[in-house]
Amino acid sequence: MRNSIKTLLAFLLINHSLFAFQDMSEVEIEIIPVNENVFMLKGAGGNIGVLTGEDGVFMIDDQFAALSTKIKAKLKTIDDQPIKYLVNTHHHGDHTGGNSNFKKDGTLIFAHENVRKRLRADSTKVNGLPIITFNEKINLYINGNDIVATHVHNAHTDGDVLIYFPQSNVLHTGDTFFNGMFPYIDLKSGGSVDGDIAAARKGLSLINDNTKIIPGHGKIATKSDYQDYLKMLETIRDKINAAIKEGRTETEVVENESITNEFYSDEKAKDFFINGQKIRKTFYDSLKK
């Protein structure tokens, strides 16, 4: 859990233009085998997914620019092939920060159209723009997998995609799934509670009991973990909707620990990136609209 908090802290820093002060020199990139030729990379930022094979390395997200050299070196320990394909699950800097570095190497970058739009609006990210975009879904046939990248609307952001490797039976959810913690739903970037719930339902519809899941943050998950996450979202939503119908104010909802205590007490969540009060405020703000 501490690593997850550090990862999210790094995200917070970069999104407040303080990343220049964040020291990445001591960050180690860890490779975690997932299934056959699929791996997860942990460092500082969102979890990276990797599919290896004769067609070249297919990568999902790339963390921060300062880590690109370390990521490339680590990948060389499992596959000498170049990183030919890169998909961004959404636009946040802890998932797209290395785009420019990989693009210089000739990596082909894919993303939802809204990811390109949001990165393009940031003058510091222009050189790392995806060059292939899509709206609802794109199918790719790489390294023995019929890869499906499908857009989920207004979930964590307005540009989220789920990436499923059917033959390897692995799903990467991006930040529509935070395993072992409260989610971050970016309302300012088009995210919503109902959209995040719909994204989890969509992800569950793609998988089976044996699927291994790479969440945006947290440990590799099972279908049961994913179902528990969906239950948490739905339960908190229902309780806050009921409170809104009763005329409860935002302050009353934010201060009411019983709404979320079934999952994480405020004490347990006090060091989470999104603590109990923050998640209750996010749900209230999203559902009150």
Side-chain angles (χ1 to χ4, degrees):
M1 184 60 69
R2 288 181 180 177
N3 287 338
S4 297
I5 294 169
K6 289 179 180 178
T7 308
L8 289 167
L9 177 60
F11 162 77
L12 179 64
L13 289 171
I14 197 170
N15 281 278
H16 286 77
S17 301
L18 296 175
F19 180 60
F21 301 101
Q22 178 72 6
D23 183 10
M24 291 286 169
S25 63
E26 296 184 2
V27 174
E28 297 292 334
I29 305 299
E30 179 185 1
I31 293 181
I32 302 171
V34 180
N35 196 2
E36 299 175 352
N37 58 333
V38 182
F39 303 85
M40 184 177 93
L41 271 63
K42 292 180 62 178
N47 292 327
I48 293 173
V50 173
L51 174 69
T52 62
E54 62 183 12
D55 297 326
V57 174
F58 177 94
M59 190 164 77
I60 302 170
D61 291 337
D62 53 27
Q63 297 191 356
F64 299 109
L67 295 175
S68 296
T69 299
K70 289 184 179 183
I71 291 169
K72 294 173 189 178
K74 201 69 175 182
L75 285 174
K76 288 293 184 184
T77 67
I78 58 173
D79 197 317
D80 285 333
Q81 295 266 36
I83 302 166
K84 292 183 66 175
Y85 313 98
L86 169 63
V87 175
N88 295 144
T89 60
H90 61 289
H91 73 282
H92 286 152
D94 64 320
H95 296 257
T96 63
N99 276 13
S100 292
N101 295 332
F102 289 98
K103 195 171 182 180
K104 289 175 183 176
D105 293 342
T107 301
L108 196 62
I109 304 177
F110 300 76
H112 185 265
E113 180 64 22
N114 287 340
V115 173
R116 180 180 169 88
K117 288 178 180 177
R118 289 194 176 274
L119 291 178
R120 191 174 185 181
D122 183 345
S123 61
T124 67
K125 307 288 178 63
V126 172
N127 292 327
L129 297 178
I131 64 170
I132 297 177
T133 63
F134 57 96
N135 288 319
E136 294 304 318
K137 185 174 76 169
I138 188 170
N139 297 320
L140 305 167
Y141 304 92
I142 300 169
N143 293 335
N145 270 270
D146 302 332
I147 302 168
V148 179
T150 184
H151 175 50
V152 283
H153 295 260
N154 301 102
H156 170 63
T157 68
D158 60 7
D160 301 295
V161 294
L162 306 175
I163 297 104
Y164 183 50
F165 303 144
Q167 282 78 11
S168 295
N169 202 13
V170 175
L171 174 71
H172 194 303
T173 66
D175 280 4
T176 64
F177 178 22
F178 283 63
N179 190 20
M181 64 194 90
F182 288 131
Y184 170 46
I185 300 174
D186 187 355
L187 303 184
K188 293 181 179 179
S189 294
S192 70
V193 167
D194 288 337
D196 215 37
I197 289 171
R201 289 175 178 166
K202 177 64 176 179
L204 284 164
S205 76
L206 296 173
I207 65 175
N208 57 49
D209 290 342
N210 298 317
T211 304
K212 293 185 178 179
I213 304 162
I214 301 175
H217 295 271
K219 297 179 180 179
I220 294 171
T222 63
K223 182 179 180 180
S224 178
D225 296 326
Y226 205 9
Q227 289 171 326
D228 288 345
Y229 179 76
L230 174 59
K231 179 184 177 183
M232 177 177 70
L233 297 181
E234 291 177 331
T235 301
I236 297 172
R237 177 204 58 189
D238 292 347
K239 288 183 176 181
I240 291 182
N241 267 334
I244 291 171
K245 289 180 180 179
E246 292 170 1
R248 302 298 181 187
T249 66
E250 178 180 317
T251 299
E252 288 175 320
V253 169
V254 170
E255 295 299 326
N256 187 357
E257 181 180 354
S258 67
I259 291 172
T260 51
N261 199 42
E262 173 183 349
F263 305 100
Y264 303 105
S265 67
D266 279 8
E267 175 62 25
K268 185 172 184 179
K270 66 180 181 180
D271 294 326
F272 287 8
F273 176 65
I274 300 298
N275 61 28
Q277 290 189 333
K278 286 181 180 178
I279 197 62
R280 293 190 291 272
K281 176 172 170 49
T282 296
F283 271 62
Y284 183 91
D285 290 346
S286 181
L287 297 170
K288 185 67 172 176
K289 291 181 179 179

